[in-house]
Amino acid sequence: MGRKHGGNHQALLNEGEEAEMEMFGYKTEVCRRALCLAGYILSCGGLLLLFYWKPEWDVWANCVPCDLEEADVVLLCTTDEFHVYTRKKVVWLSVSALGRLDPTHPLLADEGSLLNKVTTRPELKARCLQVQKIRYAWDVSAKRFVKVGVLEETHTCAEIHAKFGSGLTSAEQGIRSVICGPNAIDVEIAPVWKLLFKEVLNPFYVFQLFSVCLWFAEEYIEYSVAIILMSLLSISLTVYDLRKQSVKLHRLVESHNGVLVKVLRKETGVQEVESRHLVPGDTLVLGGGKSLLPCDAVLIHGQCVVNEAMLTGESIPVTKTCLPGGDQDSGRPWRESCAEDFRRHLLFCGTEVIQAKGPVRAVVLRTGFNTAKGDLVRSILYPKPLNFRLYRDGIRFLLCLIGIAAIGMVYAVCVFVLNGEEAGEVVKKALDVITIAVPPALPAALTTGIIYTQRRLKKKGIFCISPQRINVCGQLNLICFDKTGTLTEDGLDLWGLVLANGKSFQGAHCLSSGPPLPWGLACGAMASCHSLLLLDGKIQGDPLDLKMFEATGWEIEDSSREDGEWADALIVRPGVKAQQGAAAMGGMAILRQFPFSSALQRMSVVAQEFGGERHVYMKGAPERVVGFCWPETVPDTFPSKLQHYTSRGFRVIGLAQKSLPAGMEVASLTREQLESGLTFLGLLILENRLKSETRPVLEELSAARIRSVMVTGDNIQTAITVARNAGLIPPGSQVILVESSGQPGLPSPSVTWDLLEESKDDQGDSSETKARYLEVGGGGRGPDPGRGRYHFCLDGRTYEVLSQHFRHLLPKLLLDGTVFARMSPPQKASLVQELQKMDYFVGMCGDGANDCGALKVAHVGISLSEQEASVASPFTSKTPNIECVPELIRQGRCALVTSFCMFKYMALYSTIQYLGVLLLYWQLNSFGNYQFLFQDLAISTLVGMTMSLNHAHPKLVPHRPPARLTSPPLLLSLVLNLLLSLAVQVCGFVLVQKQPWYSTRDLLSACSPGNKSDAAFPASPSNRTEAEVDNGYKSYENTTVWLLSTFNCLLVALVFSKGKPFRQPVYRNHVFVLVLAVQLGVCLFFLFAHIEGLYATMDLVCTPILWRFSLLGLLLITFAVSLVVEEAVIENRALWALLKRASGYQSRSRYQKLQRALERDPSWPPLNQTDSASPDTVRVAGFGAAYGNPAFVSHEEPVCGPSV
């Protein structure tokens, strides 16, 4: 409706972000509002309930479209495939209440200030709305809503120091507090009544309420009470679970809101305030021991060490340095001037400051839910809806049942009206059809299966916070794995050191098994070039730094003073196990430190030997380190030596140094000056071993035709070798290395496709390689174009170039891409999304540190970390290896097949009952209340609760269960069993009327003494009393149809209870078999035992024994036919494959379409060639829409480092 309105009625909120929404402006109209209020009253709240379910209808009915500038109501619609609507009210905030502020006041006159942009004149008010805990204010000049609660990002480094370095005034703090709101991540513990109210208003429970009211009107009391009790139990469990999650999340964030912090004010200096009063632009003063950060801030003075485990999952101290003055970049925003390393200056909310080298001051950047921790909490509070075909088909399935019920209603009305029944009776009988055709127990039965699976996963150490995704696990056909900590061991073992000697390398010195390394400059680099700390008497820091430092035998001295402040330098001294000659030196003091940066791929320190020289030491990615060294100090064999070790899966670190002249003032030198003109020292070799579980799991996934992909931040050659060792790249397969020249975003980049040679190590330290190519029919131009014979490998920079300049090549490359190295967290998330666009069901398994974005956007995210950072992942494994992946897929397939079984059973059960009732309606009859009760409660409810108990089959088969309820085998199974049930009931209904003992008036004629067909049931004097107690339901047709339909419900339960290949055989489900056996025994008792009191209660009549055996024979024939059809046709994969080939059917998945096209393309894959982007190629935006928490960036994995 509103989309036709012109002007500024429509805009985008959070453009380019994951939470992007369309927004439409509306103004409430009095007349429309009055009409809607009248509608609420006349409909007894029905219209209000409808508007509760459909907020867009509420807005369209009550409001008229207008410009956003005039709107008092905003309608929001997500731009994803779900198009979820939300109604939000625009509110006015007044800043004039803070005191007499003139519109020309300096605080409001600053044109670059956000406060100036969102404040109207002369009222001094701001129009705001709150969406998913984030506050937005109307920008008067830009005519759009902008996010508040964040510091303006247009400030330069110099402006941040100048404007905020000395703190805010009280007036400015007050204005910012009104507009930006409190600095609090408030997650209220939802009251039970509110949770209960929301749950009861679920459409399913509203339908149940309608059904129960109708049943009470018909005196169907017993089942009504049973449904009420089951619904109350279900609602109570749901409310309890929601309440428990609410309490858990509240406890996760409550420590954030009650922190006392020191703030610098211009008028009063340093003062202590509650953290909820902080605003963007405030200046925090840190120090005095450990403290929790209540906001995101940028460090402007001093240095501190923080623990970011809450956000990254790695409990490793991280050193933060202050934001530079920025005089040389005065015209550029601070993020751009520090683009390579801006996160090194940021302190994130929820992280812990371990040590502060004071005085430490930081400017508040973001508050409340705008912070890194707030973003994490919002991802839990507002998860992205799950787009799974089963759930979409489930809605269509229910709509189909409603359509069938509508046909039955018309039929019922016609029959009863034509026979002159009263209007009230006609309405009740017609409405009955809806409650019969649409099974009220369906959602409960489906939920039961998910709950059982969730419990089984919990026993295996796999915890789930999104139960709906369990079914999605059954469809996974591609798994992305992180490398370090996931496929390989978390820690690194120091293997050895290869020293440089001028233009050549010395022999490798094995540190793991060889003699101690003599003291030298390389040992000095290992002892000083790190970011380790001594905390509580224990050395802590990055595992790589720790292994390197421990190999030297040196120790860190506790140089902290009594007041807890750092000394000016970190002291390291030789220990008992130190190298020969080190003890004579006495130790070193680390004067300056430039911590490791993932963007720069290096770290540097300035170290002073006691009584000796000063040195600059550097370590980092070898290809980066040699760029800072004099060429004459780099051996000629550097590339081949690096290739030699990385191709064997080692992690290689380059070392370099230079000596500083005596008397040089180190503090005055820039990093660029200190890091120039270095001498290359050599290569440090570390070994990262595969976990013992990795290869067997990957082989199991490969056998099940589930594709595995490695996504890592490590060196590409190391990643390729690990992929070969793990079995991701099978022996004999060819590796095509895809490399880009130039940088992303620059004009005319190119991409090179090279066939990578597979080296074979000769005896000794030889780096010679022998190329081995597969011969291909048709000239041997390259690898066999068949799937799986070649694997593309590329790094993050190449991936970004392809994404921006070669979009047409990206899907082709992703189809056979196996190794993605040097990938940043946003690139990992983008890769998962690109694979999803190709119709893959993508799982992501990582350690929760740098993979949080990818874990969140994947169909199924599996975190191997139990840190708080992993809470955004649907699944968390207590066992830190990838064995959880096949287990989750097994359980997911089992749950998915169980869901299909339940859908089919509940559909057929309700249809069987529906057909029986419609047949009896023809004679103005129906089932009795106890007949309904037995079928609904004793049969369907127990079957629904126990059919889901089958465990998963232990073996993963090389095909997946169907993903749709509308798949041909499932539809055919449903239709054939439906026709069989219809045929059985119609046969029984028709044949019973043709029996010689049949009578519409005398219900004892079948068992009377004159009926020779039944000698087993002699007449008794009390039989006439039974005939007189007839409530209108008793008839031969009723007895026959009810017995047939009841037995049929049991038989289809047995037929539909699938076993292999996804679930264990039905006989292993002991509870289900026992329940089915008892139910069958009771039904047989009803069929053959003529007990007058029982028959009177169940509204049954006596029939001849021969007729009862005839019914049993008819049922056995039906069961045999149904079972044969199910096993020989429905479950016959060979038959369906033959039918697909005969009909020419081909999969419509995008990746399979592309696969078929590439198999016919003789020019693919390209080999030994270079593709260049044309100058007029349209550049595609980067990864703005991919989820990436600002703190979810590794300190080891570069944003886009070069490949080797």
Side-chain angles (χ1 to χ4, degrees):
M1 291 177 63
R3 296 169 190 266
K4 297 179 181 179
H5 189 273
N8 194 29
H9 164 65
Q10 177 182 351
L12 279 178
L13 192 69
N14 303 323
E15 186 172 1
E17 299 180 21
E18 186 192 25
E20 183 182 82
M21 298 181 184
E22 276 187 296
M23 60 190 315
F24 306 91
Y26 288 88
K27 181 175 284 187
T28 306
E29 194 175 62
V30 177
C31 294
R32 288 180 173 230
R33 181 69 176 160
L35 288 173
C36 287
L37 287 173
Y40 300 157
I41 297 170
L42 294 174
S43 64
C44 300
L47 184 61
L48 187 62
L49 183 62
L50 183 64
F51 285 169
Y52 173 79
W53 292 335
K54 304 290 288 185
E56 64 272 27
W57 293 3
D58 181 17
V59 174
W60 294 338
N62 284 278
C63 309
V64 292
C66 67
D67 286 348
L68 285 167
E69 191 171 9
E70 304 169 356
D72 60 2
V73 171
V74 170
L75 183 63
L76 299 165
C77 177
T78 59
T79 55
D80 54 22
E81 66 270 29
F82 304 102
H83 299 295
V84 178
Y85 283 93
T86 312
R87 179 187 185 274
K88 292 295 177 182
K89 192 170 181 61
V90 179
V91 297
W92 286 91
L93 297 177
S94 175
V95 298
S96 59
L98 296 173
R100 294 182 177 179
L101 289 177
D102 190 278
T104 60
H105 192 281
L107 297 178
L108 302 174
D110 185 1
E111 293 183 359
S113 170
L114 179 65
L115 304 180
N116 173 66
K117 294 178 181 179
V118 302
T119 308
T120 60
R121 309 294 197 279
E123 299 90 352
L124 298 183
K125 292 183 178 180
R127 297 175 65 242
C128 299
L129 60 91
Q130 188 156 305
V131 182
Q132 293 184 353
K133 303 290 187 180
I134 298 292
R135 182 178 289 184
Y136 299 84
W138 179 256
D139 189 330
V140 180
S141 57
K143 306 291 184 185
R144 63 190 180 95
F145 281 98
V146 295
K147 192 180 294 184
V148 293
V150 296
L151 192 67
E152 298 87 338
E153 294 189 355
T154 55
H155 290 303
T156 64
C157 293
E159 286 174 345
I160 288 181
H161 280 274
K163 285 188 176 182
F164 308 107
S166 56
L168 299 176
T169 64
S170 298
E172 187 171 7
Q173 190 275 340
I175 296 174
R176 287 180 177 267
S177 179
V178 169
I179 294 177
C180 300
N183 173 42
I185 303 177
D186 286 322
V187 179
E188 64 171 2
I189 299 177
V192 173
W193 68 265
K194 185 181 288 187
L195 294 172
L196 192 63
F197 184 74
K198 285 186 176 180
E199 192 66 22
V200 168
L201 290 184
N202 185 294
F204 164 67
Y205 289 116
V206 172
F207 173 71
Q208 276 197 340
L209 180 62
F210 161 76
S211 302
V212 167
C213 291
L214 181 63
W215 293 334
F216 271 117
E218 297 183 339
E219 298 182 357
Y220 186 28
I221 307 298
E222 294 83 355
Y223 188 59
S224 300
V225 172
I227 285 292
I228 290 172
L229 292 176
M230 285 192 295
S231 298
L232 287 176
L233 179 62
S234 175
I235 291 172
S236 301
L237 290 174
T238 304
V239 169
Y240 171 77
D241 191 42
L242 291 173
R243 172 84 174 184
K244 186 179 177 181
Q245 291 180 16
S246 178
V247 170
K248 185 177 180 181
L249 194 56
H250 175 79
R251 289 174 179 169
L252 177 68
V253 299
E254 66 178 343
S255 59
H256 161 274
N257 299 322
V259 180
L260 288 176
V261 294
K262 292 181 179 179
V263 179
L264 183 64
R265 292 272 187 263
K266 283 187 178 179
E267 305 98 334
T268 59
V270 178
Q271 63 183 56
E272 197 171 56
V273 299
E274 279 192 21
S275 58
R276 65 184 304 108
H277 298 304
L278 291 175
V279 297
D282 263 331
T283 303
L284 287 174
V285 179
L286 304 174
K290 296 181 180 181
S291 60
L292 197 66
L293 281 166
C295 60
D296 287 356
V298 58
L299 201 61
I300 60 170
H301 191 276
Q303 182 175 312
C304 60
V305 178
V306 297
N307 182 357
E308 294 185 343
M310 194 282 298
L311 293 175
T312 65
E314 296 175 307
S315 186
I316 297 172
V318 180
T319 303
K320 300 289 184 175
T321 57
C322 65
L323 187 74
D327 295 334
Q328 67 275 19
D329 295 317
S330 57
R332 300 169 60 196
W334 70 273
R335 279 180 182 270
E336 293 183 15
S337 61
C338 306
E340 289 184 327
D341 205 20
F342 75 91
R343 290 179 181 84
R344 279 294 172 187
H345 313 307
L346 293 183
L347 306 174
F348 294 105
C349 176
T351 59
E352 184 184 25
V353 177
I354 300 172
Q355 289 181 342
K357 187 176 180 180
V360 174
R361 296 199 304 272
V363 174
V364 177
L365 285 181
R366 294 180 287 263
T367 58
F369 282 94
N370 296 286
T371 62
K373 184 170 183 176
D375 187 60
L376 178 65
V377 174
R378 285 197 313 120
S379 70
I380 302 169
L381 290 173
Y382 306 101
K384 186 177 179 180
L386 187 61
N387 186 14
F388 189 43
R389 282 178 288 189
L390 172 64
Y391 301 123
R392 297 200 307 269
D393 290 347
I395 300 298
R396 297 186 187 123
F397 167 79
L398 290 175
L399 291 176
C400 287
L401 291 181
I402 292 172
I404 293 171
I407 296 171
M409 286 178 67
V410 173
Y411 165 82
V413 169
C414 293
V415 169
F416 284 97
V417 168
L418 290 175
N419 283 275
E421 291 289 331
E422 294 180 1
E425 189 67 19
V426 172
V427 170
K428 284 198 295 185
K429 293 298 183 184
L431 292 177
D432 256 345
V433 175
I434 296 181
T435 64
I436 293 170
V438 182
L442 175 61
L446 294 175
T447 304
T448 302
I450 296 296
I451 291 173
Y452 291 155
T453 306
Q454 195 172 1
R455 287 179 179 175
R456 289 195 291 266
L457 287 172
K458 191 174 182 180
K459 289 180 180 178
K460 300 280 187 179
I462 303 171
F463 300 92
C464 173
I465 64 170
S466 180
Q468 279 190 330
R469 293 185 184 263
I470 291 176
N471 277 334
V472 185
C473 296
Q475 282 295 302
L476 292 180
N477 57 358
L478 188 149
I479 310 293
C480 296
F481 291 100
D482 180 37
K483 182 181 75 68
T484 306
T486 303
L487 299 178
T488 61
E489 297 290 349
D490 203 9
L492 296 167
D493 294 323
L494 197 61
W495 182 82
L497 183 66
V498 182
L499 296 175
N501 185 13
K503 299 295 287 183
S504 63
F505 280 105
Q506 298 178 12
H509 184 93
C510 186
L511 297 174
S512 59
S513 59
L517 187 70
W519 172 256
L521 290 173
C523 292
M526 294 168 62
S528 62
C529 196
H530 52 73
S531 55
L532 299 175
L533 300 168
L534 190 66
L535 298 175
D536 301 324
K538 184 180 178 182
I539 300 176
Q540 296 186 27
D542 186 270
L544 186 151
D545 286 348
L546 197 57
K547 285 286 184 182
M548 179 184 72
F549 184 73
E550 287 175 349
T552 63
W554 282 48
E555 298 173 351
I556 297 178
E557 185 178 275
D558 186 1
S559 56
S560 59
R561 300 174 182 174
E562 292 183 2
D563 59 4
E565 295 180 355
W566 277 12
D568 292 337
L570 182 68
I571 308 300
V572 291
R573 296 181 182 275
V576 178
K577 299 180 180 179
Q579 300 89 342
Q580 299 175 4
M585 190 180 61
M588 287 189 291
I590 302 173
L591 305 179
R592 288 189 69 182
Q593 185 184 82
F594 302 99
F596 181 82
S597 162
S598 60
L600 302 178
Q601 293 184 283
R602 67 181 189 274
M603 78 163 292
S604 303
V605 296
V606 178
Q608 169 76 59
E609 295 180 1
F610 288 175
E613 297 180 330
R614 289 183 178 179
H615 298 274
V616 175
Y617 290 111
M618 176 188 288
K619 75 170 171 52
E623 59 271 26
R624 287 297 179 94
V625 170
V626 295
F628 294 90
C629 299
W630 294 111
E632 57 269 23
T633 67
V634 180
D636 295 333
T637 57
F638 170 79
S640 61
K641 183 66 71 173
L642 182 61
Q643 167 81 13
H644 174 77
Y645 286 106
T646 57
S647 64
R648 283 155 180 78
F650 290 108
R651 186 167 183 178
V652 183
I653 304 296
L655 302 175
Q657 74 86 35
K658 78 172 180 180
S659 300
L660 296 176
M664 178 176 287
E665 184 60 40
V666 176
S668 62
L669 298 178
T670 65
R671 181 170 187 172
E672 289 73 19
Q673 291 172 321
L674 289 170
E675 292 181 338
S676 62
L678 304 181
T679 298
F680 184 70
L681 296 176
L683 301 173
L684 189 66
I685 314 298
L686 299 106
E687 189 175 14
N688 196 190
R689 295 189 179 94
L690 277 177
K691 292 181 178 179
S692 58
E693 303 86 1
T694 295
R695 191 176 181 92
V697 168
L698 293 177
E699 288 174 350
E700 182 180 9
L701 294 177
S702 178
R705 295 184 182 177
I706 298 171
R707 184 179 159 200
S708 299
V709 170
M710 181 192 293
V711 188
T712 179
D714 210 339
N715 177 282
I716 193 166
Q717 292 290 350
T718 302
I720 291 172
T721 303
V722 171
R724 289 187 188 276
N725 295 338
L728 285 172
I729 302 177
S733 299
Q734 298 297 291
V735 176
I736 299 175
L737 188 62
V738 186
E739 293 183 293
S740 65
S741 62
Q743 292 294 330
L746 297 180
S748 301
S750 61
V751 174
T752 303
W753 313 74
D754 293 320
L755 189 65
L756 197 64
E757 297 178 348
E758 185 176 357
S759 65
K760 288 203 171 186
D761 198 16
D762 295 335
Q763 296 295 325
D765 188 20
S766 173
S767 60
E768 295 180 1
T769 59
K770 298 179 181 179
R772 185 164 55 84
Y773 299 95
L774 291 177
E775 293 297 327
V776 182
R781 55 170 286 280
D784 187 345
R787 299 300 101 191
R789 300 301 300 274
Y790 59 90
H791 300 261
F792 291 118
C793 302
L794 63 154
D795 61 15
R797 183 182 64 180
T798 303
Y799 174 77
E800 196 165 350
V801 167
L802 288 165
S803 299
Q804 295 179 5
H805 301 279
F806 297 89
R807 290 293 302 181
H808 65 289
L809 290 177
L810 187 61
K812 299 179 182 180
L813 189 142
L814 295 181
L815 188 65
D816 287 291
T818 302
V819 175
F820 296 85
R822 296 297 195 205
M823 296 286 281
S824 68
Q827 287 172 341
K828 289 182 179 182
S830 170
L831 173 65
V832 169
Q833 290 174 320
E834 291 295 333
L835 290 168
Q836 288 172 331
K837 290 176 185 177
M838 297 174 66
D839 292 336
Y840 281 109
F841 278 88
V842 184
M844 175 72 199
C845 183
D847 56 7
N850 309 293
D851 312 308
C852 284
L855 289 170
K856 185 173 182 291
V857 300
H859 289 110
V860 175
I862 313 162
S863 173
L864 303 185
S865 169
E866 295 187 68
Q867 295 285 349
E868 290 181 16
S870 68
V871 296
S873 174
F875 297 93
T876 303
S877 174
K878 203 170 184 179
T879 307
N881 61 58
I882 63 172
E883 284 183 330
C884 60
V885 174
E887 182 60 36
L888 196 55
I889 295 174
R890 277 192 290 268
Q891 296 294 344
R893 289 181 173 185
C894 174
L896 185 57
V897 171
T898 299
S899 295
F900 286 130
C901 292
M902 290 309 307
F903 264 116
K904 288 168 60 179
Y905 174 74
M906 297 304 288
L908 207 56
Y909 143 73
S910 61
T911 311
I912 289 170
Q913 198 176 70
Y914 167 83
L915 292 173
V917 169
L918 292 189
L919 281 173
L920 295 177
Y921 273 5
W922 186 255
Q923 293 186 331
L924 305 183
N925 199 349
S926 182
F927 290 152
N929 284 352
Y930 283 102
Q931 290 176 332
F932 275 123
L933 183 65
F934 184 79
Q935 287 185 345
D936 291 338
L937 197 59
I939 300 294
S940 67
T941 302
L942 290 179
V943 167
M945 292 176 64
T946 57
M947 184 187 279
S948 308
L949 288 172
N950 283 49
H951 286 232
H953 196 271
K955 183 180 179 182
L956 280 177
V957 293
H959 60 273
R960 299 174 293 160
R964 308 185 65 174
L965 281 170
T966 54
S967 63
L970 286 173
L971 284 180
L972 183 62
S973 172
L974 202 58
V975 170
L976 289 178
N977 280 281
L978 180 60
L979 292 176
L980 279 172
S981 301
L982 176 61
V984 167
Q985 293 191 61
V986 170
C987 283
F989 184 80
V990 172
L991 291 176
V992 73
Q993 297 176 10
K994 297 182 180 298
Q995 299 305 309
W997 41 262
Y998 171 78
S999 173
T1000 57
R1001 295 182 179 180
D1002 186 4
L1003 300 181
L1004 299 177
S1005 59
C1007 297
S1008 64
N1011 180 19
K1012 298 180 180 179
S1013 63
D1014 186 10
F1017 300 99
S1020 63
S1022 61
N1023 281 348
R1024 290 297 164 188
T1025 306
E1026 179 185 336
E1028 292 171 0
V1029 188
D1030 184 5
N1031 57 11
Y1033 293 120
K1034 292 182 179 179
S1035 70
Y1036 290 117
E1037 291 91 344
N1038 173 287
T1039 300
T1040 300
V1041 171
W1042 184 80
L1043 287 171
L1044 287 173
S1045 61
T1046 304
F1047 272 102
N1048 212 356
C1049 290
L1050 289 177
L1051 298 181
V1052 295
L1054 187 58
V1055 171
F1056 285 167
S1057 185
K1058 303 290 184 186
K1060 292 182 179 180
F1062 304 112
R1063 305 201 308 169
Q1064 290 188 3
V1066 65
Y1067 59 80
R1068 300 288 296 273
N1069 186 349
H1070 305 300
V1071 178
F1072 177 67
V1073 172
L1074 178 63
V1075 166
L1076 217 56
V1078 172
Q1079 289 172 334
L1080 187 60
V1082 173
C1083 289
L1084 289 171
F1085 184 77
F1086 280 143
L1087 179 62
F1088 289 106
H1090 179 208
I1091 300 175
E1092 294 175 6
L1094 178 64
Y1095 267 42
T1097 303
M1098 297 301 297
D1099 296 313
L1100 300 175
V1101 296
C1102 178
T1103 56
I1105 190 68
L1106 186 61
W1107 176 247
R1108 302 178 193 211
F1109 277 109
S1110 300
L1111 294 182
L1112 188 59
L1114 186 61
L1115 287 167
L1116 289 175
I1117 293 171
T1118 305
F1119 173 67
V1121 172
S1122 178
L1123 191 62
V1124 169
V1125 167
E1126 198 73 19
E1127 296 299 325
V1129 178
I1130 306 302
E1131 296 297 320
N1132 191 335
R1133 288 184 52 81
L1135 175 62
W1136 286 103
L1138 182 64
L1139 291 174
K1140 285 181 181 179
R1141 286 195 297 270
S1143 62
Y1145 172 82
Q1146 291 182 323
S1147 172
R1148 288 178 291 181
S1149 298
R1150 291 184 179 91
Y1151 74 91
Q1152 291 188 334
K1153 285 182 180 178
L1154 182 60
Q1155 180 177 319
R1156 292 192 295 268
L1158 293 182
E1159 286 174 351
R1160 297 189 299 267
D1161 186 357
S1163 64
W1164 189 265
L1167 288 178
N1168 303 319
Q1169 70 180 53
T1170 300
D1171 295 329
S1172 299
S1174 58
D1176 57 346
T1177 300
V1178 178
R1179 183 190 169 199
V1180 180
F1183 312 110
Y1187 175 83
N1189 192 299
F1192 295 162
V1193 177
S1194 170
H1195 307 298
E1196 296 182 12
E1197 301 186 4
V1199 173
C1200 49
S1203 58
V1204 181

